[in-house]
Amino acid sequence: MAGHHKALIATFLLMFIAPVLVSAWYLWARAADRYVSLSGFSVRTEQTGSALELLGGVAEMPGAAASDADILARFIESPALVAKADAVLDLRTLWSLPGTDWRHPASDPIFAYHAPGQIEDLTRYWNRRVTINTDTGRGLIEVQVQAFTPEDARVLNRLIYQESADMINHLSAIAREDATRYARAELDRAKADLKRIREDMTMFRNRTQIVDPEASVQGQMGLLSSLQEQLAQTLIDLDVLRQSARSADPRIKQAEARVMVIEARIAEEQAKLGLGSNQDGGQDTAFADLIGEYEGLMVDLQFAEQSYAAARASFENALAEAQRKSRYLASHIDPTLPEAAQRPHRWGLFAMVAFFAGLAWMLSTLILYAFRDRR
């Protein structure tokens, strides 16, 4: 029995007392104080509902904010942000303090970072020292950053907030670009069509030397009407002279000559209405064909102008809608400057070590007595 009691005491000292004493010594003599900086922010959407939405009682659904919060939480845990923070703040040095050398009186090889390490090692340590709590229902994010000095904790927390804000701005810019890409493509196409048709209209006017064929036709018709009126009046005067004067009267010859001149002029003007001279001096082109070509260009021009106006309005509306739904990061808790160390939880860790050490000792005692009873 004495041997069993000695073994029991030895295992108790080795498996319970020794771990408890070592853990107590390390927690209160070697474990460095860590300060916790707290910040809280949320992803907001600056969205003003339309009058129809307000009358219909349509409220903004929280799904977008919750999704943005999840994306932001994954970004904060990503190696990309760790690498950027390390480049700015030198995390390997910041978290290696107060040291990992046992010979140093302030060394803490368990809770400090072992520099230099790879980015994967630094990311794993980052996720132990940066705690993210998200409220997916309201899109709220709370970040707790641990460091060995209060200033380092707050500086790192501020960097996380700034990089998160830049990330949200980047996502907002991408969403805005996606929302306006189709409208911008339509606007560019309508603008190119309008420019091409205006160039065709300019080429037509340069080729025909006619600014507005319809106005030219109206002028020709007015001149033709005036000549026809003069012809009718001259014929009346000629008939009166023939009835009142002799056939050899020179006035009759003058009237007949005037009639011939007016008729020739009318024939020339009618020919102008039917034919138009080509700019190159080649085969004549029918004036009616020029009018038809001009009217076709005018129809294309009006359609292109209307399409451009509609595309411009659509683009402006898409741009305004994208701006109206832009997202930004709103901080409701600025990164705090801690005054007292909150880590490590010495009594909690000490109690946990004592519990598991006692449990291991009891299990080993039961195993020891079980073997003794079997013999």
Side-chain angles (χ1 to χ4, degrees), residues 68-275:
D68 291 337
D70 293 337
I71 293 174
L72 202 55
R74 301 290 81 78
F75 169 72
I76 295 174
E77 297 173 347
S78 67
L81 181 57
V82 176
K84 186 174 294 186
D86 183 46
V88 175
L89 300 178
D90 190 7
L91 295 179
R92 290 175 168 86
T93 301
L94 185 147
W95 274 331
S96 294
L97 298 177
T100 56
D101 187 0
W102 276 97
R103 295 170 296 180
H104 196 283
S107 63
D108 186 4
I110 293 180
F111 296 107
Y113 177 72
H114 293 263
Q118 304 298 323
I119 187 63
E120 292 79 10
D121 302 325
L122 191 58
T123 302
R124 284 191 293 269
Y125 190 84
W126 168 286
N127 290 325
R128 292 200 301 269
R129 295 294 174 257
V130 177
T131 305
I132 306 169
N133 298 316
T134 59
D135 185 347
T136 56
R138 293 177 292 180
L140 300 178
I141 301 175
E142 183 180 277
V143 178
Q144 295 181 359
V145 178
Q146 301 179 32
F148 294 112
T149 65
E151 293 77 11
D152 289 343
R154 184 169 66 171
V155 168
L156 181 54
N157 207 336
R158 284 178 174 174
L159 184 140
I160 292 174
Y161 174 78
Q162 185 59 47
E163 292 297 330
S164 300
D166 293 343
M167 181 64 178
I168 289 300
N169 293 336
H170 178 65
L171 292 177
S172 183
I174 293 176
R176 184 164 55 251
E177 179 64 24
D178 291 341
T180 58
R181 182 183 298 113
Y182 177 76
R184 182 182 291 107
E186 287 296 312
L187 178 61
D188 293 340
R189 183 187 61 80
K191 185 177 181 180
D193 291 344
L194 179 60
K195 181 180 179 181
R196 176 180 55 80
I197 294 173
R198 283 178 174 174
E199 290 175 352
D200 293 343
M201 181 67 75
T202 301
M203 292 176 61
F204 170 81
R205 287 169 175 167
N206 292 334
R207 176 170 53 85
T208 62
Q209 296 297 308
I210 299 175
V211 177
D212 188 352
E214 295 180 354
S216 299
V217 169
Q218 292 177 0
Q220 292 291 333
M221 291 299 296
L223 178 60
L224 184 60
S225 298
S226 176
L227 290 173
Q228 288 176 345
E229 291 178 0
Q230 294 180 25
L231 178 61
Q233 185 63 42
T234 303
L235 289 174
I236 292 174
D237 294 340
L238 179 60
D239 291 339
V240 172
L241 285 174
R242 285 173 178 173
Q243 293 177 2
S244 60
R246 295 175 299 175
S247 59
D249 193 330
R251 292 179 298 174
I252 294 177
K253 293 186 178 296
Q254 292 178 355
E256 290 177 346
R258 181 179 175 84
V259 169
M260 294 176 61
V261 171
I262 294 175
E263 288 178 345
R265 176 59 59 188
I266 290 175
E268 290 180 3
E269 295 301 327
Q270 288 176 343
K272 289 181 180 180
L273 287 176
L275 296 173

Side-chain angles (χ1 to χ4, degrees), residues 47-59 317 321 324-325:
Q47 180 173 358
T48 303
S50 63
L52 180 60
E53 292 174 345
L54 295 177
L55 291 176
V58 180
N317 182 62
E321 186 72 10
R324 188 171 65 89
K325 294 183 178 181

